[in-house]
Amino acid sequence: MQKDLQDNICETKVFEHVYNTYSRDLHNFLYYKYGEQLNPSDKTQDAFIKLWDNCKKVTLSKAKSFLFTIANNMVLNDIKHQKVVLQHQKTKPKSYSNETPEFIMEHEQYLERYKKVLSSLSEEQRVAFLLNKVEGKKHSEIAEYLGVTKKVVEYRIYSAFNILKKELEHFKIK
C-alpha cells in the first residue's frame, strides 16, 4: 500500500521530493555535458515541467530516467536548431533575377532618357513636378512652399508632364 502512494508523482510532497533530489544532478549533468551557453538551468526547469505534465504516466522509479532523457533531448533539439540556423545564415540569397538582359538594358536606357528630359525642364517645372510626383505633395502645399498661386503650380506640373510625355514613349504616371 505504501508503494502505491509513492508512485503518484502528482502529489505535491512527492514531486517536491523528486525536485529536491534530482534538480541539482540534472543541472550539473547538462552543464558538464553541454556547457553554459545552452541554458542548463532552463532545460532543468523545462524537464520538471514536462514531468509535472506527465505525472500520471511516470512512476517514481522512472522519474530520474524520464527527467534526464527529456532534458538531454531538449538540449539536442536546441543544438540541431542552431545548426539549421547557421546553415541558413550561410546560404547566400540568389544573385540572379528573372529579368532578361535586354529588359535590364532597356530599363537603364529609359531611366537615362528620363533623367535627361527631366534635366531639360525649366527649374520651376522640374521642382513643381518632383514635389508633386516624387514627394507626393498637394498642389496647394507646393504653392505655399514656392510662394505662388495654386494655378501656377498646376500649369508647371501640367507643362512638365506634357514635355515628358512627348519626349518619352509610353510615359505614364499614376
Side-chain angles (χ1 to χ4, degrees), residues 2-17:
Q2 183 70 11
K3 188 174 185 337
D4 290 346
L5 292 175
Q6 292 297 321
D7 279 348
N8 192 358
I9 297 177
C10 294
E11 290 185 29
T12 310
K13 296 249 186 224
V14 176
F15 188 82
E16 187 177 339
H17 172 71

Side-chain angles (χ1 to χ4, degrees), residues 149-165:
T149 66
K150 184 178 168 187
K151 286 288 185 190
V152 170
V153 170
E154 289 172 356
Y155 174 75
R156 289 178 183 173
I157 293 170
Y158 176 76
S159 61
F161 184 72
N162 279 339
I163 293 170
L164 285 166
K165 207 161 81 172

Side-chain angles (χ1 to χ4, degrees), residues 118-133:
L118 201 59
S119 66
S120 72
L121 297 174
S122 70
E123 186 175 346
E124 292 88 12
Q125 290 173 325
R126 186 173 49 256
V127 168
F129 180 79
L130 292 175
L131 282 172
N132 181 251
K133 300 301 179 189

Side-chain angles (χ1 to χ4, degrees), residues 29 62 90-91 105 112-113 130 137 147 154 156 173:
F29 168 75
K62 304 280 185 183
K90 286 181 185 177
T91 59
M105 186 175 75
E112 287 299 317
R113 284 192 315 222
L130 292 175
K137 299 212 180 279
E154 289 172 356
R156 289 178 183 173
I173 293 184

Side-chain angles (χ1 to χ4, degrees), residues 38-168:
L38 294 172
N39 299 324
S41 299
D42 291 348
K43 299 300 182 251
T44 301
Q45 294 299 318
D46 291 342
F48 276 99
I49 290 171
K50 290 257 192 198
L51 177 63
W52 182 254
D53 291 341
N54 295 299
C55 67
K56 291 185 173 143
K57 299 175 189 172
V58 181
T59 62
L60 184 60
S61 60
K62 304 280 185 183
K64 181 177 181 182
S65 174
F66 179 85
L67 287 168
F68 278 72
T69 303
I70 291 294
N72 193 47
N73 287 343
M74 281 189 224
V75 174
L76 291 175
N77 286 341
D78 274 1
I79 291 170
K80 191 186 291 185
H81 176 70
Q82 285 178 355
K83 285 181 181 179
V84 169
V85 168
L86 288 173
Q87 203 59 25
H88 181 69
Q89 288 174 347
K90 286 181 185 177
T91 59
K92 295 180 183 175
K94 66 178 187 175
S95 61
Y96 61 89
S97 68
N98 293 332
E99 299 168 342
T100 63
E102 293 84 16
F103 176 81
I104 294 171
M105 186 175 75
E106 288 174 5
H107 185 274
E108 289 172 0
Q109 289 173 350
Y110 189 83
L111 188 60
E112 287 299 317
R113 284 192 315 222
Y114 173 74
K115 287 179 182 178
K116 185 177 178 184
V117 173
L118 201 59
S119 66
S120 72
L121 297 174
S122 70
E123 186 175 346
E124 292 88 12
Q125 290 173 325
R126 186 173 49 256
V127 168
F129 180 79
L130 292 175
L131 282 172
N132 181 251
K133 300 301 179 189
V134 175
E135 294 187 21
K137 299 212 180 279
K138 296 179 182 176
H139 294 182
S140 56
E141 293 174 321
I142 298 169
E144 186 178 319
Y145 177 73
L146 296 176
V148 294
T149 66
K150 184 178 168 187
K151 286 288 185 190
V152 170
V153 170
E154 289 172 356
Y155 174 75
R156 289 178 183 173
I157 293 170
Y158 176 76
S159 61
F161 184 72
N162 279 339
I163 293 170
L164 285 166
K165 207 161 81 172
K166 187 169 82 175
E167 297 292 323
L168 300 171

